[in-house]
């Protein structure tokens, strides 16, 4: 599991990350983003299991008790993922792209390039 720092397609993030999604709202990538946005909270963690890619959101808004309140934000079966590839843009060093079998894709990432590379390597090894 690694931290998820960005996923939205906002102007500042677009300048740093480039395009963050392709495929339209009815594509697998679009539905993934809709599910994540509808979940509310801040997307902060991602995990890759033997069956699916999961993004967790933190629903904690309390300043008194900073303990995370994790909930599933979006999930996609591994069978719907065609590939995961690191993004070469230097400024977005922790970005990787998740391409779906329908041809759509979405950008995910980590603050640390090493963690992102480990995540992508685990996908490529089938772990």
């Amino acid at each position: 599991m690694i931290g998820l720092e960005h996923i939205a397609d906002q102007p500042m993030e677009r300048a740093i990350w480039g395009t963050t999604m392709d495929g339209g709202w009815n594509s697998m990538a679009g539905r993934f983003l809709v599910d994540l946005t509808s979940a509310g909270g801040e997307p902060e963690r991602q995990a890759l299991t033997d069956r699916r890619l999961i993004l967790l959101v933190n629903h904690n808004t309390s300043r008194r008790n900073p303990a995370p309140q994790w909930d599933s934000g979006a999930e996609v079966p591994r069978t719907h993922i065609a590939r995961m590839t690191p993004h070469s843009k230097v400024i977005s060093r922790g970005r990787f792209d998740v391409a779906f079998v329908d041809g759509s894709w979405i950008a995910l990432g980590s603050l640390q390039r090493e963690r992102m590379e480990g995540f992508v390597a685990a996908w490529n090894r089938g772990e």
Side-chain angles (χ1 to χ4, degrees), residues 31-98:
R31 297 306 317 157
F32 186 80
L33 184 55
V34 166
D35 290 348
L36 185 60
T37 303
S38 297
E42 291 294 319
E44 294 182 8
R45 298 282 187 262
Q46 50 203 1
L48 184 64
T49 73
D50 61 335
R51 295 194 175 127
R52 64 186 155 261
L53 169 66
I54 305 167
L55 271 66
L56 299 176
V57 294
N58 182 1
H59 285 289
N60 185 1
T61 58
S62 172
R63 293 179 188 208
R64 292 179 148 181
N65 179 6
Q69 295 176 2
W70 300 117
D71 194 11
S72 178
E75 298 183 16
V76 62
R78 284 181 77 126
T79 56
H80 292 184
I81 300 171
R83 67 186 171 284
M84 287 188 193
T85 54
H87 196 273
S88 60
K89 199 172 181 185
V90 175
I91 198 164
S92 59
R93 64 183 181 272
R95 173 182 164 166
F96 64 99
D97 296 337
V98 177

